[in-house]
Amino acid sequence: MTLTKRQLLKSLLGGVALTVLPLSAMAQARKIMVVASTVDIPNFDPHVATGYAPQWLFRNVYDPLVRVTGTPPVATPGLAASWEMSEDGMTYTFHLDPTARFTDGSAVTAADVVYSFQRLLRLGTGPAWMVAGILDGDSVVATDDATVTMNLLKPFAPLLSVLPWMFIVNAAVVEANLGTDDAQAYLLQNIAGSGAFTINRALPGELYELLRVENDWHQGGNIDAVFWRIVREAATTRMLLQRGEVHFALDLFTEDMEALEGVPGVVRIMEPDYRSFSIKMNTAHGPLMDKNLRKAISYAFNYQSMLDAAQPAALMVGPLPPGMFGANPDLEVYRQDMDKAREYLAASDYADGGFTLSIHYAAGYEQQRRWCLILLEALATLNIQLDIRPMVWPDVVAMARSPETVTDFFSIFQSSNYADPDNTAYAAYHSSRNGQWQNPTYSNPEVDRLIEEARAATTPEARAELYGQFQEVVVEDAPDIFGVLELRKFAMRDNVQGYEFCPVGATSPEIWPLSLA
């Protein structure tokens, strides 16, 4: 029997081979790239799931109209080979790449693009919030088989920046598996994309295995397959990287980077990006509904200890990442001041303390665990105890859906999907996002208004003014302990070729352009 390249690869990647051959030997023989992450992939539906692990999957098994690459980030062709914008900024026209094919070999058409945007907006989950109020079900039109016209409901400066997260599905495949939930059950575990890879095997909590599509239409890279390998402990990840059993190690900490300095075959990557860490508070259920208590805790927290544990890093100055357009570096924010902490505690309904609050941290994130301990010490000064719980990411996402189930403190990293303040402001503070992990509970109509006006404003000056007001109102509300902006820290083997850092989606790298020497 003659095996095709894909069939041969499948047989090599089967369970027996995986247990017999060392991963490094398989990778060397077949150009298999191994990416280590602490985070699982809970859902394969590009119009539903969010978070960096699902986004990594989507960037490699689906395609958007427009990609984002480089530093500073710029929009580059995806399914659209080119595009133009009308003078008033209200109409965009996209011309599809005629070579683009879904993994079943059928051509990607303008009708697929229209179908995908209509499904995204109909479901109203996943990345739909990025174009909420900007597009509706009639906004995206197929002018012909290869041309898509997008008519905006209002001006939206970051449009090209958000399109890399709007993935196009094969309408025929989705329609054939609609069920009663718009194919959500089908796409929970199946792929209907045009990406360079498709999924071959999923072992939740352990491994996700992608295979290069036969006759892949993308140009570049020699990778035949990719393993997204779940490794919970950073020390284990570091060891695997040093031994050459992992090519990309995504979740490393300061001491890991120090330990990897000068290690043969390892390239360290420490770059500034817009990923922030904050400790959000449950403003819709429990004691932290009390703003005075939130302010007391904000003043009791030891920000310097958090910074020391995160180096190299910078403290957040309010809700927007430092350096991003609109961020006010002179904003007056909370810093440790025990006199003010006791003053606000006395003004709260919990003046004597004597109760216990809860917080989770992502299992395997040593940095988050340390920051939880710093919060524990701060609360102890207010006679408040803290229950610290490690949790895996799918449980964190599920917990965020209701104020009654979310912990009192909700600790998260938030990466920027696009380099615009709208990303952080809308995802993390607009009330329409309640129940999502970026903003489980916070709601303020004044903040909603400022965010909506800022995303529709047409001049940089007007947007900067609105974001200035937004930051002041959020800080006054004290819904978060504004944390740190770390340098992105990860490492790769020196035989990885073609990699270029991008501060947007840095932990969700596209694999198809890369090669292994």
Side-chain angles (χ1 to χ4, degrees), residues 127-361:
W129 64 268
M130 297 182 190
V131 290
I134 307 300
L135 300 175
D136 64 15
D138 299 321
S139 296
V140 183
V141 177
T143 311
D144 57 42
D145 282 351
T147 308
V148 176
T149 301
M150 204 169 284
N151 301 299
L152 278 57
L153 301 176
K154 62 177 74 169
F156 183 50
L159 181 72
L160 289 177
S161 299
V162 305
L163 291 183
W165 307 107
M166 317 270 155
F167 296 96
I168 307 307
V169 299
N170 185 330
V173 173
V174 174
E175 278 290 295
N177 296 278
L178 270 184
T180 59
D181 62 355
D182 220 336
Q184 290 185 70
Y186 177 78
L187 291 178
L188 182 69
Q189 296 180 312
N190 294 279
I191 304 297
S194 58
F197 297 91
T198 191
I199 198 155
N200 182 55
R201 187 169 54 155
L203 301 174
E206 296 182 33
L207 186 76
Y208 294 83
E209 176 186 312
L210 309 185
L211 292 184
R212 193 106 186 189
V213 174
E214 285 187 80
N215 302 315
D216 171 32
W217 68 276
H218 302 79
Q219 301 295 316
N222 69 358
I223 307 299
D224 294 316
V226 194
F227 287 176
W228 178 266
R229 186 173 175 180
I230 308 297
V231 184
R232 301 293 184 197
E233 298 297 331
T236 304
T237 299
R238 190 176 73 211
M239 178 190 67
L240 292 171
L241 182 73
Q242 289 177 272
R243 294 200 317 222
E245 296 192 26
V246 157
H247 298 97
F248 259 100
L250 292 179
D251 302 314
L252 296 175
F253 304 114
T254 302
E255 59 268 37
D256 301 307
M257 304 307 286
E258 292 172 353
L260 289 172
E261 185 174 9
V263 172
V266 173
V267 177
R268 300 187 309 160
I269 299 169
M270 291 190 286
E271 296 281 351
D273 71 1
Y274 302 129
R275 187 180 73 155
S276 62
F277 177 82
S278 295
I279 300 176
K280 293 180 169 294
M281 305 193 215
N282 189 338
T283 56
H285 180 75
L288 296 178
M289 293 176 67
D290 187 322
K291 184 161 74 173
N292 284 321
L293 180 60
R294 297 200 300 269
K295 288 189 172 184
I297 293 169
S298 295
Y299 277 120
F301 191 73
N302 190 332
Y303 299 88
Q304 186 59 49
S305 292
M306 179 182 231
L307 182 62
D308 292 343
Q311 293 291 2
L315 284 176
M316 293 286 289
V317 184
L320 295 182
M324 180 170 278
F325 167 75
N328 179 3
D330 301 319
L331 193 65
E332 187 173 345
V333 295
Y334 305 94
R335 293 291 180 255
Q336 190 174 33
D337 185 330
M338 292 311 301
D339 289 338
K340 287 186 176 179
R342 284 187 279 271
E343 175 185 334
Y344 280 105
L345 182 67
S348 77
D349 292 335
Y350 304 90
D352 297 325
F355 57 94
T356 300
L357 298 174
S358 59
I359 187 171
H360 83 278
Y361 70 93

Side-chain angles (χ1 to χ4, degrees), residues 6 9-10 13 30-35 41 44 53-62 189 191 195-203 207-213 223-229 509-512:
R6 183 175 177 181
L9 192 56
K10 276 189 173 182
L13 296 177
R30 286 293 163 190
K31 303 298 185 189
I32 300 169
M33 180 165 286
V34 183
V35 180
I41 303 174
F44 300 169
Q55 286 174 341
W56 174 81
L57 176 73
F58 303 150
R59 295 185 82 183
N60 289 289
V61 301
Y62 285 95
Q189 296 180 312
I191 304 297
F197 297 91
T198 191
I199 198 155
N200 182 55
R201 187 169 54 155
L203 301 174
L207 186 76
Y208 294 83
E209 176 186 312
L210 309 185
L211 292 184
R212 193 106 186 189
V213 174
I223 307 299
D224 294 316
V226 194
F227 287 176
W228 178 266
R229 186 173 175 180
E510 292 181 324
I511 301 300
W512 63 266

Side-chain angles (χ1 to χ4, degrees), residues 98-113:
T99 68
R101 292 289 183 276
F102 288 111
T103 54
D104 65 2
S106 60
V108 179
T109 68
D112 293 298
V113 177

Side-chain angles (χ1 to χ4, degrees), residues 354-473:
F355 57 94
T356 300
L357 298 174
S358 59
I359 187 171
H360 83 278
Y361 70 93
Y365 271 78
E366 176 60 18
Q367 217 86 316
Q368 280 199 32
R369 190 186 70 82
R370 292 174 186 172
W371 293 332
C372 288
L373 293 175
I374 292 170
L375 178 62
L376 180 147
E377 292 178 0
L379 292 176
T381 65
L382 304 177
N383 191 31
I384 301 171
Q385 289 71 51
L386 185 64
D387 173 21
I388 301 175
R389 309 170 185 174
M391 298 180 72
V392 297
W393 184 243
D395 292 343
V396 173
V397 174
M399 177 182 72
R401 291 176 187 145
S402 166
E404 286 73 32
T405 57
V406 71
T407 46
D408 295 298
F409 296 98
F410 190 88
S411 64
I412 60 165
F413 285 101
Q414 180 166 345
S415 299
S416 285
N417 294 312
Y418 47 102
D420 189 279
D422 180 69
N423 186 167
T424 300
Y426 202 95
Y429 298 99
H430 195 277
S431 63
S432 67
R433 302 293 296 153
N434 289 169
Q436 305 293 324
W437 62 267
Q438 297 99 329
N439 180 19
T441 62
Y442 178 63
S443 175
N444 181 330
E446 176 66 4
V447 169
D448 285 355
R449 181 187 66 80
L450 291 166
I451 292 172
E452 290 164 12
E453 291 185 6
R455 66 180 355 212
T458 55
T459 67
E461 293 77 13
R463 299 188 77 213
E465 171 62 25
L466 289 162
Y467 282 122
Q469 295 176 39
F470 155 79
Q471 291 166 85
E472 290 178 359
V473 175

Side-chain angles (χ1 to χ4, degrees), residues 499-511:
Y499 175 76
E500 181 183 12
F501 181 82
C502 178
V504 172
T507 45
S508 307
E510 292 181 324
I511 301 300

